[in-house]
C-alpha cells in the first residue's frame, strides 16, 4: 500500500446543510449507506443526502440530541436526548415510537437487525448510570431490562452483531446477547482525565475488533472464543487487547482506515481543567487549535496528518466534534462540528498526481503513474504527457543532462496517441537548438524506433565541428546502416585535409572504411595509427597481399606495443616491485618480442607471406630478423631451416642465453660455422656442446677444466657420454695438471657415490706429498657412504629372509588344509556323482584338486598306477583309516609326474574332445597324463591333489 503526504481530500457539505447550521448547531451524527443524519441542539433530527440536500426532518425532542443510531437496513433512526426520551422514527412509514426514561440520555443503539426482528430491541444509557435493553414482550408489551448499573453515567454504546459495547466511569464493558452474559471489562487507563470532560468513542472495525479512543489513550480489543479446555465456567467469549498506546492529543473521534486507524485529534495545551476552582482564569475555556485528522498505525506511528479548517474551531471543545464513517469501496469519513459538516475521502491516484503536479514534483508523479499502470493506470493523466511536462521543466531549469537521461523512458510509449519517432525527432532538434546535443546523443535510439537518417547525420556533423572524440565514440557505437556512410566519409576527409596529422580523424576514417567494406583503405589508417585491431582486420579480410611490402612497419608496430606494455607494467608496480592493479585489457599482454601479434601474424601465414620475402625486407634490420626467425623456429623448428646458420649468429648477438637451446634442437646448421661464431664470442658452454656433438670429447673436457674450471660440469659431461675412456682421460688429466685441479679433488671425492669412478683408483692417483684441503673430511664421507650402503644391504637381506620364512609358513598351511565337498559333486571326466550311497560302489577313491575339480581315481590315473586297495593291503591297514589315505596320497605324488588337473592344465583345450570320446566309448577309459608337461600347480607350490577315500 502506498501512502501519500496527504492521504485524504476534503469537501464541505453545502446545499441545505449550511443554511440549517446557520440557525441551529449540530450535536450528533450517524451515517448510513443511503443518507446522513444530524441531531441538533434544538432537538431536531435531520436527514440529508450525500450532496447536503435535506430529505426529512423530525421534531422529536425538546433538548439537545446527544446520539443517533441507524439500523443496517437504513429504515429506522433512533435518537437519544437530554430530555430523557428515545424516539425511533420510521423513514419509509409514519411509525414513530417514543420511550421516556425521565433522565438525560447520552447514547442509544438499535439492534442491527431492527427492521427484521419483531422484538424491536435497542439499548440506551445516560446520566442515570443504567444500560437498559428495551424489547417487546408478550402481547405487545414493552419490557425494559437493566443490563448494567451502578458505575456512573453511560457515555457511549455501540451494537455490532450479538455484541454490545458501552463505556462508563469505570471503563468499557461488553455484553453478549447470545449467551446473555457480560464477557469483558476494559478498565479506563490510569491518570486519565475525568470521563465527563472527554467522552469515550467506540467504533467496531468488524464483528470482532473494537476500537476505543478515550481522552489521550487508544486501545484495540479483539473478541475471541475460549477453547473447551478453558471454558469450564463463565462466558464462552473473551476480549484480548492487541494494541494500547498514548497520544499527544485528545481523541475526539476514531474510525478504521484500511489496516490502520483514523483519529480526530483535538489539540490543546491544557488537557485537564479544574472546574471546581473559583479562579475565573482557570474557569475560562482555553482557545483551541484546529482539529486534525491523523492516520496512525498500531505502533503509534503517524502516517499522515491534516488540519481541518472549520468555522469557529477556537471556541469548541473535544466533545463538540463527531467523527463517523461509511464503509464502502471508497470509504467516506464525516466530521461534524456545531457549524460544519465536512466529508473526507481517501485520495486516489488522480488526486495524488494532481497534488504532485501542482507542486512541480514531476518525477514523483511519473513514478506514481508508472507504478499504477500495473493495475490500470490513471483515468485522468497520461504518462507521456506528464513526462513531456517534466522534460520541459528540466530544460527550463537548465538541467540538460538529467533531461537527456529521462528521455528514453519518457519518450518510449505504446500508446497510439503518440508517435515515438516524432517525439525523438522533436526533442533532438530541441537539444540541437540549445547546443546540447552531446548530452542527448548517448541516449538516441538506433532501433525501436529507428529515426530518420537526417537526424543521425546532423548529430555527426555537429560533433565533426565541435568535438572529434565524441564523433569517434558515436561512430563506433552506432550501427552504420542508420546513416549514409559515404557522405560522412567525405565530410571527415575534408576535415582531415585541413588537419592532416589528427589521429582521431584517422581513427574515424578507419572505422568508416571498415563499415563501408573498404578494408584496404582502412588498413592504411590503422597502420599509421598503430591500432591493435589491425591484425584482426588483416585476418578477417585476408589483406596479406597488402602487407607484403610493409613488413618493417609491422615489426615496428610490435616494438611499439612491447614498449607500451613495459611502460604500463612499470607504472602498475609499487615501490617494492609488486603489481598494484591488473594490466589494461585493451591489448593482449606480450611476454617476449617473438610473441607479438605482428610477428605471429607473419609466422602463422607463411603461405600468404613467404619467408624469403620477409627475410629480404629485414636484412637491414638484424634485430627484427632475429625476432622473426626466433618466432618461426618456435612455431616449427623445420620451417626456415636454410636460415639456421644465420640464426646462430643472431642468437649469439641478441640472446646468447638461448643459443644452447637452439643448438640442441636444430640439425640444420653447420657445426664448424657455429663453433667459429661461439669461439669469436667466447661462448664456452656452447663450444663444449658443439665439440661433444662432433665427437671431440677430450677437447671438450679440456675446455670445461681449463676455461670453466667446473668439476661438476666435467663429471656431468662424462656421465652423458657414457664412455669409460673419457673417465680415464679425466683422471689422467687431473694427474698431469695438479696445479689446476687441487681445488677440484675434494669435489671429485664428494661425488663418487653417484659416478662410475672407482674410489680406490682415484685416491691412488693422489701423490703422497700433495696437500689437499678438506681431504680428510672427503675420505671420511666416502667411508660413511660405503658403510651406509653395506648397512642397507644387510637390512634388506634380513627383511628378505623374514619374508621368505613367512611365505614358506603360509605355503605349508595352505598345503595342509582340507577341501570340503557336497553330495552334488561330480567327476569332471565321467560326469558321475562322486558320493554315491550304493554300498556296492564304496570301494573306490576320489581325487579332488584345490581348483575344486574332482575325479574318480579310475578316471584320472592309468591302469598301471597303484590303487588305494593295493596301498592299504601293503601297509596292512584298514581301508578307511587316515593312515592308508595319507600313504596312498604320498605314493601318488612320488610318481615321476604327480597327478594334475587336466582342465586347469589343458593348454591346447583338448579336455572337451577327450570327454566327448569318453562318452562315445560308454564312459569307459581313462584320462592319460602328459608326463612331459610339468604341473602348473606344482610350480606354484600348491599341493596337486587331495586323495579322498569315500
Amino acid at each position: 500500500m502506498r501512502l501519500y503526504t496527504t492521504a485524504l481530500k476534503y469537501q464541505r457539505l453545502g446545499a441545505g446543510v449550511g443554511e440549517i447550521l446557520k440557525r441551529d448547531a449540530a450535536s450528533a451524527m450517524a451515517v448510513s449507506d443511503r443518507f446522513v443524519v444530524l441531531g441538533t441542539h434544538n432537538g431536531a433530527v435531520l436527514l440529508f443526502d450525500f450532496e447536503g440536500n435535506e430529505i426529512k426532518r423530525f421534531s422529536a425532542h425538546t433538548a439537545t440530541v446527544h446520539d443517533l443510531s441507524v439500523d443496517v437496513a437504513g429504515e429506522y433512526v433512533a435518537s437519544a436526548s437530554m430530555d430523557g426520551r428515545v424516539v425511533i422514527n420510521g423513514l419509509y412509514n409514519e411509525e414513530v415510537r417514543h420511550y421516556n426514561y425521565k433522565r438525560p440520555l447520552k447514547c442509544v443503539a438499535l439492534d442491527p437487525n431492527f427492521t427484521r426482528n419483531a422484538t424491536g430491541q435497542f439499548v440506551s444509557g445516560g446520566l442515570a448510570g443504567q444500560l437498559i435493553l428495551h424489547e417487546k414482550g408478550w402481547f405487545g408489551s414493552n419490557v425494559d431490562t437493566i443490563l448494567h448499573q451502578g458505575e456512573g453515567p453511560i457515555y457511549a454504546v455501540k451494537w455490532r452483531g450479538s455484541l454490545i459495547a458501552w463505556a462508563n466511569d469505570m471503563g468499557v464493558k461488553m455484553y453478549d446477547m447470545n449467551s446473555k452474559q457480560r464477557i469483558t471489562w476494559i478498565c479506563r487507563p490510569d491518570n486519565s482525565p475525568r470521563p465527563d470532560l472527554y467522552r469515550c468513542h467506540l467504533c467496531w472495525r468488524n464483528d470482532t475488533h473494537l476500537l476505543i479512543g478515550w481522552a489521550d489513550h487508544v486501545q484495540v480489543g479483539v473478541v475471541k472464543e475460549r477453547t473447551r479446555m478453558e471454558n469450564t465456567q463463565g462466558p464462552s467469549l473473551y476480549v484480548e487487547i492487541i494494541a494500547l498506546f498514548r497520544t499527544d492529543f485528545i481523541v475526539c473521534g476514531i474510525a478504521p482506515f484500511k489496516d490502520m486507524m483514523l483519529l480526530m485529534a483535538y489539540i490543546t495545551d491544557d488537557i485537564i481543567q479544574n472546574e471546581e476552582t473559583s479562579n475565573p482564569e482557570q474557569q475560562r475555556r482555553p482557545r483551541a487549535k484546529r482539529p486534525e485528522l491523523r492516520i496512525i498505525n498500531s505502533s503509534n506511528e503517524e502516517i499522515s496528518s491534516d488540519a481541518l479548517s472549520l468555522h469557529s474551531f477556537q471556541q469548541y471543545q473535544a466533545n463538540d466534534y463527531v467523527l463517523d464513517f461509511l464503509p464502502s469501496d471508497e470509504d467516506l469519513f464525516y466530521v461534524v462540528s456545531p457549524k460544519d459538516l465536512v466529508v473526507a475521502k481517501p485520495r486516489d491516484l488522480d488526486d495524488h498526481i494532481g497534488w504532485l503536479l501542482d507542486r512541480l514534483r514531476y518525477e514523483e508523479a511519473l513514478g506514481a503513474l508508472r507504478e499504477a499502470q500495473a493495475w490500470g493506470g490513471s483515468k485522468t493523466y497520461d504518462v507521456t504527457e506528464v513526462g513531456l511536462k517534466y522534460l520541459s521543466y528540466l530544460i527550463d531549469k537548465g538541467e540538460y543532462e538529467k533531461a537527456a537521461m529521462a528521455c528514453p523512458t519518457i519518450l518510449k510509449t505504446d500508446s497510439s496517441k503518440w508517435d515515438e519517432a516524432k517525439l525523438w525527432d522533436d526533442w533532438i532538434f530541441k537539444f540541437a537548438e540549445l547546443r546540447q546535443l552531446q548530452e542527448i546523443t548517448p541516449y538516441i535510439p538506433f532501433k525501436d524506433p529507428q529515426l530518420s537518417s537526417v537526424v543521425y547525420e546532423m548529430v555527426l556533423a555537429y560533433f565533426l565541428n565541435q568535438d572529434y572524440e565524441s564523433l569517434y565514440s558515436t561512430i563506433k557505437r552506432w550501427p552504420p546502416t542508420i546513416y549514409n556512410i559515404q557522405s560522412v566519409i567525405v565530410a571527415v576527409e575534408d576535415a582531415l585535409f585541413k588537419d592532416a596529422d589528427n589521429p582521431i580523424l584517422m581513427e574515424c576514417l578507419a572505422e568508416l572504411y571498415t563499415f563501408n567494406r573498404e578494408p584496404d583503405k582502412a588498413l592504411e589508417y590503422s597502420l599509421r595509427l598503430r591500432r591493435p585491431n589491425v591484425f584482426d582486420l588483416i585476418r578477417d579480410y585476408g589483406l596479406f597481399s597488402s602487407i607484403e611490402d610493409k613488413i618493417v612497419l609491422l615489426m615496428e608496430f610490435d616494438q611499439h606495443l612491447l614498449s607500451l606494455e613495459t611502460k604500463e607494467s612499470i607504472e602498475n608496480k609499487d615501490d617494492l616491485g609488486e603489481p598494484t592493479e591488473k594490466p589494461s585489457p585493451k591489448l593482449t599482454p606480450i611476454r617476449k618480442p617473438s610473441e607479438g601479434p605482428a610477428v605471429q601474424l607473419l609466422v602463422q601465414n607463411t603461405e600468404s607471406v613467404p619467408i624469403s620475402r620477409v627475410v629480404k625486407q629485414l636484412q637491414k634490420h638484424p634485430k627484427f630478423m632475429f625476432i622473426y626467425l626466433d618466432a618461426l623456429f618456435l612455431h616449427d623448428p623445420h620451417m626456415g631451416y636454410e636460415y639456421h646458420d644465420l640464426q646462430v649468429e643472431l642468437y649469439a648477438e641478441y640472446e646468447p642465453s638461448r643459443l644452447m637451446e637452439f643448438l640442441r634442437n636444430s640439425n640444420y646448421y653447420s657445426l664448424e660455422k657455429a663453433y667459429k661464431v661461439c669461439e669469436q664470442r667466447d661462448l664456452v658452454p656452447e663450444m663444449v656442446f658443439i665439440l661433444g656433438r662432433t665427437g671431440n670429447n677430450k677437447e671438450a673436457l679440456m675446455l670445461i677444466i681449463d676455461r670453466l674450471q667446473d668439476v661438476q660440469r666435467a663429471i656431468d659431461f662424462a656421465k652423458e657420454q657414457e664412455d669409460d675412456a673419457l673417465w680415464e682421460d679425466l683422471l689422467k688429466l687431473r694427474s698431469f695438471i695438479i696445479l689446476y685441479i687441487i681445488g677440484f679433488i675434494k669435489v671429485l671425492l664428494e661425488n663418487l657415490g653417484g659416478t662410475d669412478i672407482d674410489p680406490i683408483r682415484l685416491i691412488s692417483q693422489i701423490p703422497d706429498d700433495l696437500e689437499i684441503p678438506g681431504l680428510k673430511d672427503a675420505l671420511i664421507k666416502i667411508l660413511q657412504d660405503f658403510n651406509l650402503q653395506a648397512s642397507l644391504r644387510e637390512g634388506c637381506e634380513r627383511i628378505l629372509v623374514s619374508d621368505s620364512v613367512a611365505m614358506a609358513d603360509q605355503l605349508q598351511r595352505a598345503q595342509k588344509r582340507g577341501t570340503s565337498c557336497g553330495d552334488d559333486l561330480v567327476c569332471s571326466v565321467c560326469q558321475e556323482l562322486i558320493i554315491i550311497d550304493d554300498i556296492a560302489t564304496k570301494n573306490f577313491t576320489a581325487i579332488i584338486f584345490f581348483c575344486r575339480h574332482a575325479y574318480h581315481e579310475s578316471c584320472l590315473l592309468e591302469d598301471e598306477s597303484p590303487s588305494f586297495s593295493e596301498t592299504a593291503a601293503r601297509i596292512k591297514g584298514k581301508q578307511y583309516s587316515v593312515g592308508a589315505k595319507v600313504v596312498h596320497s604320498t605314493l601318488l605324488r612320488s610318481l615321476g609326474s604327480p597327478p594334475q588337473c587336466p582342465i586347469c592344465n589343458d593348454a591346447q583345450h583338448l579336455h572337451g574332445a577327450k570327454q566327448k570320446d569318453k562318452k562315445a566309448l560308454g564312459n569307459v577309459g581313462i584320462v592319460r597324463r602328459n608326463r612331459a608337461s610339468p604341473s602348473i600347480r606344482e610350480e606354484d607350490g600348491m599341493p596337486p591333489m587331495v586323495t579322498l577315500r569315500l
Side-chain angles (χ1 to χ4, degrees):
M1 180 181 64
R2 182 183 177 115
L3 295 179
Y4 313 120
T5 304
T6 172
L8 299 172
K9 59 180 179 180
Y10 302 92
Q11 178 184 0
R12 180 175 278 107
L13 212 60
V17 175
E19 293 297 326
I20 292 173
L21 294 183
K22 288 180 181 178
R23 302 187 302 269
D24 202 348
S27 59
M29 179 184 62
V31 181
S32 171
D33 56 357
R34 299 181 182 181
F35 50 80
V36 178
V37 186
L38 286 183
T40 69
H41 283 284
N42 289 336
V45 176
L46 307 171
L47 269 69
F48 299 92
D49 61 15
F50 294 116
E51 301 296 329
N53 300 309
E54 184 178 343
I55 301 175
K56 277 191 177 184
R57 175 190 293 263
F58 301 103
S59 297
H61 301 281
T62 59
T64 300
V65 177
H66 278 302
D67 197 11
L68 296 168
S69 178
V70 183
D71 67 336
V72 173
E75 297 184 7
Y76 289 90
V77 175
S79 56
S81 173
M82 280 293 291
D83 60 7
R85 293 189 305 157
V86 173
V87 178
I88 301 176
N89 292 282
L91 303 181
Y92 301 100
N93 54 44
E94 300 299 328
E95 182 180 1
V96 179
R97 305 180 190 181
H98 296 270
Y99 304 94
N100 191 351
Y101 292 99
K102 300 179 181 180
R103 290 292 301 275
L105 297 176
K106 289 288 187 179
C107 55
V108 64
L110 288 176
D111 179 3
N113 298 317
F114 185 85
T115 302
R116 291 184 296 173
N117 292 341
T119 56
Q121 292 179 326
F122 68 89
V123 290
S124 62
L127 298 182
Q130 295 178 337
L131 181 67
I132 299 174
L133 171 65
H134 177 87
E135 57 185 340
K136 291 181 180 180
W138 293 99
F139 306 106
S141 61
N142 295 325
V143 178
D144 289 336
T145 304
I146 299 175
L147 300 181
H148 185 74
Q149 64 179 347
E151 293 184 354
I154 308 297
Y155 298 106
V157 63
K158 294 293 180 181
W159 192 336
R160 180 70 176 249
S162 64
L163 300 175
I164 302 173
W166 72 95
N168 57 24
D169 286 346
M170 304 303 295
V172 177
K173 297 175 175 57
M174 198 175 295
Y175 187 85
D176 183 12
M177 291 294 294
N178 292 333
S179 63
K180 306 297 182 183
Q181 289 180 303
R182 193 178 70 183
I183 62 174
T184 190
W185 168 44
I186 304 171
C187 63
R188 192 162 60 92
D190 295 336
N191 302 322
S192 296
R194 285 182 12 223
D196 58 328
L197 294 179
Y198 306 110
R199 71 169 181 259
C200 178
H201 299 274
L202 303 176
C203 180
W204 286 97
R205 179 190 291 273
N206 50 43
D207 290 342
T208 58
H209 286 66
L210 178 65
L211 308 180
I212 305 170
W214 202 337
D216 56 348
H217 286 78
V218 175
Q219 301 181 71
V220 180
V222 179
V223 180
K224 296 184 177 181
E225 187 173 0
R226 301 182 189 275
T227 62
R228 292 185 178 181
M229 298 295 295
E230 297 174 340
N231 192 18
T232 55
Q233 293 180 352
S236 60
L237 301 178
Y238 71 98
V239 176
E240 178 182 341
I241 301 299
I242 61 172
L244 171 62
F245 56 88
R246 189 171 184 176
T247 64
D248 56 355
F249 52 85
I250 295 299
V251 179
C252 54
I254 187 170
F257 182 82
K258 300 179 181 179
D259 59 344
M260 297 172 289
M261 289 178 288
L262 179 67
L263 302 180
M264 188 169 182
Y266 176 78
I267 312 298
T268 181
D269 296 331
D270 300 321
I271 294 180
I272 301 177
Q273 300 182 42
N274 187 3
E275 295 186 351
E276 297 179 357
T277 181
S278 59
N279 188 342
E281 293 294 332
Q282 295 186 9
Q283 289 181 349
R284 182 179 300 169
R285 179 177 292 184
R287 293 177 64 85
K289 300 179 182 179
R290 293 180 186 272
E292 297 180 3
L293 284 183
R294 298 186 179 183
I295 299 174
I296 307 294
N297 62 17
S298 59
S299 302
N300 194 19
E301 296 175 348
E302 184 176 304
I303 306 302
S304 176
S305 176
D306 296 329
L308 304 179
S309 297
L310 302 177
H311 297 303
S312 304
F313 64 87
Q314 302 93 338
Q315 303 174 9
Y316 301 141
Q317 296 297 305
N319 291 345
D320 294 329
Y321 296 103
V322 179
L323 172 66
D324 202 354
F325 81 106
L326 176 62
S328 61
D329 295 337
E330 182 182 13
D331 292 340
L332 299 177
F333 301 91
Y334 292 83
V335 177
V336 171
S337 72
K339 294 296 181 181
D340 261 328
L341 175 57
V342 176
V343 182
K345 300 179 181 179
R347 285 187 178 272
D348 57 11
L349 176 65
D350 292 338
D351 295 324
H352 178 58
I353 299 301
W355 184 86
L356 292 173
L357 293 178
D358 292 341
R359 289 156 179 79
L360 302 181
R361 294 163 64 172
Y362 293 100
E363 190 171 3
E364 296 179 44
L366 274 175
L369 281 171
R370 293 193 185 104
E371 184 178 343
Q373 285 180 335
W375 55 84
S378 171
K379 300 178 181 178
T380 305
Y381 298 98
D382 182 72
V383 177
T384 305
E385 185 176 355
V386 174
L388 295 177
K389 291 181 180 179
Y390 178 44
L391 291 179
S392 299
Y393 169 75
L394 293 176
I395 292 294
D396 294 339
K397 289 182 63 178
E399 298 183 13
Y400 303 111
E401 182 180 359
K402 191 172 183 180
M405 292 176 60
C407 282
T409 55
I410 292 175
L411 301 183
K412 185 174 183 60
T413 176
D414 297 329
S415 174
S416 58
K417 177 181 176 181
W418 302 97
D419 184 351
E420 188 175 346
K422 187 177 184 306
L423 288 175
W424 271 107
D425 290 346
D426 295 342
W427 279 98
I428 291 172
F429 281 107
K430 180 73 172 178
F431 276 85
E433 292 174 3
L434 298 170
R435 296 183 177 274
Q436 298 294 331
L437 273 178
Q438 68 276 6
E439 300 294 346
I440 197 173
T441 299
Y443 308 102
I444 295 177
F446 44 81
K447 62 177 181 179
D448 299 330
Q450 180 176 332
L451 310 181
S452 170
S453 61
V454 176
V455 175
Y456 300 114
E457 292 170 11
M458 178 196 68
V459 174
L460 295 176
Y462 173 82
F463 286 137
L464 183 60
N465 294 323
Q466 301 292 333
D467 188 355
Y468 290 162
E469 292 185 358
S470 297
L471 173 65
Y472 175 63
S473 62
T474 305
I475 289 175
K476 288 195 66 176
R477 188 169 58 86
W478 281 356
T481 56
I482 63 176
Y483 55 87
N484 190 323
I485 299 178
Q486 193 61 42
S487 300
V488 178
I489 288 176
V490 172
V492 177
E493 283 182 339
D494 291 342
L496 184 63
F497 180 77
K498 300 175 184 178
D499 189 1
D501 296 328
N502 192 297
I504 300 179
L505 291 178
M506 288 191 285
E507 292 275 7
C508 295
L509 284 174
E511 290 290 339
L512 290 170
Y513 278 124
T514 303
F515 291 154
N516 206 32
R517 300 184 182 276
E518 297 180 272
D520 51 339
K521 295 183 179 180
L523 179 62
E524 178 184 353
Y525 292 106
S526 298
L527 289 175
R528 288 172 61 184
L529 293 167
R530 295 179 175 176
R531 298 177 63 183
N533 67 335
V534 66
F535 308 107
D536 297 331
L537 186 67
I538 295 171
R539 290 190 184 93
D540 295 342
Y541 294 96
L543 302 178
F544 299 105
S545 59
S546 301
I547 64 170
E548 287 185 353
D549 56 345
K550 299 181 178 65
I551 304 301
V552 176
L553 188 60
L554 287 173
M555 299 301 293
E556 289 176 349
F557 189 11
D558 257 3
Q559 294 302 305
H560 172 70
L561 296 180
L562 181 61
S563 62
L564 287 180
E565 183 191 359
T566 304
K567 181 179 178 181
E568 184 178 356
S569 62
I570 293 174
E571 292 176 353
N572 292 338
K573 288 184 179 180
D574 55 17
D575 296 338
L576 299 178
E578 296 294 333
T580 58
E581 58 183 32
K582 294 182 179 179
S584 173
K586 296 180 181 179
L587 300 174
T588 303
I590 304 174
R591 298 293 177 241
K592 298 177 181 178
S594 59
E595 296 177 355
V599 69
Q600 289 297 319
L601 178 70
L602 297 174
V603 167
Q604 295 171 6
N605 297 276
T606 54
E607 296 180 358
S608 302
V609 186
I611 299 175
S612 58
R613 192 176 184 88
V614 176
V615 173
K616 183 179 180 180
Q617 294 189 46
L618 296 179
Q619 284 179 353
K620 297 181 180 181
H621 303 275
K623 180 64 179 295
F624 293 162
M625 179 79 78
F626 162 70
I627 294 173
Y628 173 72
L629 292 177
D630 179 39
L632 193 66
F633 181 76
L634 293 176
H635 178 70
D636 186 352
H638 305 290
M639 293 178 66
Y641 64 91
E642 62 269 24
Y643 302 105
H644 281 200
D645 287 333
L646 175 61
Q647 211 164 345
V648 172
E649 298 181 11
L650 294 174
Y651 273 114
E653 177 68 23
Y654 295 104
E655 200 167 353
S657 60
R658 295 184 55 207
L659 178 57
M660 179 65 76
E661 178 186 357
F662 177 77
L663 295 175
R664 290 180 183 275
N665 295 326
S666 175
N667 296 318
Y668 300 108
Y669 59 88
S670 170
L671 295 176
E672 295 180 1
K673 294 180 179 180
Y675 185 82
K676 288 180 180 180
V677 171
C678 296
E679 189 176 20
Q680 290 174 0
R681 290 170 174 78
D682 199 24
L683 302 176
V684 178
E686 287 75 7
M687 294 167 60
V688 171
F689 173 78
I690 296 174
L691 290 173
R693 195 164 185 178
T694 58
N696 198 347
N697 296 332
K698 185 174 181 180
E699 186 176 352
L701 194 60
M702 287 288 296
L703 281 176
I704 295 174
I705 298 300
D706 292 342
R707 299 293 305 280
L708 300 179
Q709 297 185 356
D710 190 342
V711 174
Q712 185 62 47
R713 184 186 288 268
I715 294 173
D716 293 339
F717 182 78
K719 287 182 181 180
E720 291 178 1
Q721 304 304 320
E722 298 181 355
D723 186 0
D724 294 339
L726 192 60
W727 283 110
E728 195 75 26
D729 293 339
L730 178 62
L731 295 178
K732 290 179 180 180
L733 181 63
R734 183 201 58 79
S735 62
F736 284 111
I737 51 175
I738 295 175
L739 295 177
Y740 293 97
I741 64 170
I742 289 177
F744 303 151
I745 292 180
K746 179 181 176 183
V747 179
L748 284 170
L749 293 174
E750 290 178 350
N751 286 275
L752 288 177
T755 66
D756 298 329
I757 302 176
D758 184 4
I760 297 177
R761 183 179 177 187
L762 176 61
I763 295 172
S764 65
Q765 295 289 336
I766 302 174
D768 296 337
D769 57 347
L770 180 62
E771 182 178 352
I772 301 174
L775 179 60
K776 179 179 178 181
D777 296 335
L779 293 175
I780 291 174
K781 184 177 182 300
I782 293 174
L783 295 176
Q784 289 176 346
D785 290 344
F786 279 94
N787 185 29
L788 178 61
Q789 292 180 5
S791 299
L792 289 174
R793 290 195 183 110
E794 292 177 1
C796 293
E797 185 178 0
R798 287 194 297 269
I799 294 173
L800 182 61
V801 171
S802 176
D803 290 345
S804 300
V805 172
M807 294 297 292
D809 293 340
Q810 182 180 359
L811 177 62
Q812 183 183 16
R813 288 193 300 272
Q815 291 176 339
K816 292 171 63 177
R817 72 172 184 259
T819 302
S820 61
C821 56
D823 295 340
D824 56 346
L825 190 64
V826 298
C827 176
S828 298
V829 175
C830 66
Q831 299 300 318
E832 297 292 337
L833 291 174
I834 296 293
I835 302 174
I836 303 175
D837 294 336
D838 188 3
I839 299 177
T841 60
K842 284 184 178 181
N843 295 326
F844 72 93
T845 303
I847 297 177
I848 302 176
F849 294 92
F850 280 103
C851 59
R852 306 294 299 172
H853 293 133
Y855 303 91
H856 294 116
E857 183 178 0
S858 59
C859 295
L860 180 65
L861 302 180
E862 298 179 351
D863 296 339
E864 62 269 17
S865 299
S867 64
F868 179 74
S869 301
E870 296 174 355
T871 303
R874 291 179 183 177
I875 64 173
K876 298 180 180 180
K878 297 181 178 180
Q879 290 189 356
Y880 306 111
S881 65
V882 176
K885 295 177 183 179
V886 172
V887 171
H888 186 64
S889 177
T890 304
L891 180 60
L892 292 177
R893 282 199 295 269
S894 65
L895 297 175
S897 178
Q900 53 185 333
C901 178
I903 297 176
C904 296
N905 294 275
D906 186 10
Q908 299 180 354
H909 306 287
L910 301 175
H911 177 70
K914 293 180 180 180
Q915 192 170 3
K916 291 180 181 179
D917 296 340
K918 185 74 173 180
K919 290 182 178 179
L921 294 174
N923 293 332
V924 178
I926 60 173
V927 179
R928 297 294 180 180
R929 288 177 292 129
N930 186 3
R931 297 182 180 270
S933 61
S935 173
I936 295 178
R937 295 288 179 173
E938 191 173 338
E939 290 178 355
D940 291 340
M942 299 295 293
M945 65 175 184
V946 174
T947 306
L948 300 177
R949 177 65 175 172
L950 303 177

